[in-house]
Amino acid sequence: MNKEEILELAQQKQEQERYIKWSKYIYSSKRRIQRRVLSLERDIAQTIHLFKIYKQNEGLETQIAFLSCWKFSKVNFGQNTFWCDAIYFDEFTMKDDRTLTFSGHAWIGFTENTEKQWQVPCSGYFTMNGHQTKLKSYGVYFYHETKKLQLIKSI
């Protein structure tokens, strides 16, 4: 290993340690978690606004997938808890001036058995408030066999 590779590895390790410390800080308080979710929702609203203007979905997929997968892992669906590994999007469309709809598929599984996972269709919507700076409501739906798992926020 040369000097540059050693420095790069040390820098990556420092970044990982910072992220772990930051994560512990965020997850140690319910209020911090709520603020983080609101921040993610605000970022999505701004990105949807840019999508509406420029028709580019750059960053939109990542933000929606991160928020959806994170919230999905925190919800208890009856007797089972699930995890969501990734969401892949097929289509984004503006239903009206304030509502973005999407469709795609996700990889989900039970937290008790992480070896078994399913690729399931998913769809959803995000509706912005009148000022288009916050999300008014959203719904993300995962379809598995006869079940429909949903993440919904409405005000």
Side-chain angles (χ1 to χ4, degrees):
M1 280 190 166
N2 63 24
K3 210 176 208 182
E4 291 175 9
E5 291 174 334
I6 293 171
L7 286 173
E8 187 176 325
L9 286 173
Q11 194 173 26
Q12 287 176 352
K13 186 176 179 180
Q14 254 183 343
E15 287 177 25
Q16 286 176 340
E17 289 171 358
R18 261 187 264 151
Y19 177 76
I20 290 169
K21 188 176 179 180
W22 176 81
S23 294
K24 287 180 181 177
Y25 173 76
I26 295 294
Y27 289 123
S28 67
S29 165
K30 188 174 182 174
R31 190 170 190 199
R32 287 187 201 116
I33 293 170
Q34 289 171 336
R35 283 191 295 208
R36 179 69 178 134
V37 169
L38 289 174
S39 173
L40 288 169
E41 291 174 353
R42 235 182 342 270
D43 291 347
I44 289 173
Q46 290 171 353
T47 308
I48 289 172
H49 183 67
L50 293 174
F51 173 78
K52 186 174 79 173
I53 295 170
Y54 301 112
K55 302 294 183 211
Q56 294 178 346
N57 61 359
E58 189 174 312
L60 189 58
E61 292 182 358
T62 306
Q63 291 173 344
I64 291 174
F66 181 77
L67 176 69
S68 301
C69 287
W70 185 80
K71 287 191 86 160
F72 190 84
S73 68
K74 301 298 176 201
V75 175
N76 186 356
F77 295 100
Q79 296 175 346
N80 299 316
T81 53
F82 288 88
W83 57 267
C84 176
D85 183 41
I87 300 177
Y88 300 96
F89 298 95
D90 298 328
E91 181 181 14
F92 287 106
T93 54
M94 290 301 295
K95 182 178 173 183
D96 54 38
D97 195 39
R98 294 183 189 168
T99 305
L100 173 93
T101 60
F102 68 88
S103 64
H105 64 276
W107 287 95
I108 64 170
F110 293 119
T111 54
E112 294 80 28
N113 183 4
T114 57
E115 305 250 335
K116 190 171 184 179
Q117 59 182 342
W118 303 277
Q119 181 180 357
V120 298
C122 67
S123 64
Y125 68 91
F126 287 85
T127 303
M128 297 184 293
N129 68 358
H131 303 291
Q132 300 190 7
T133 56
K134 293 182 182 177
L135 292 177
K136 181 177 179 181
S137 63
Y138 58 85
V140 181
Y141 307 98
F142 301 87
Y143 306 95
H144 176 58
E145 295 174 357
T146 60
K147 295 182 180 181
K148 179 177 170 181
L149 306 173
Q150 22 188 2
L151 301 173
I152 298 174
K153 176 187 178 177
S154 59
I155 296 177

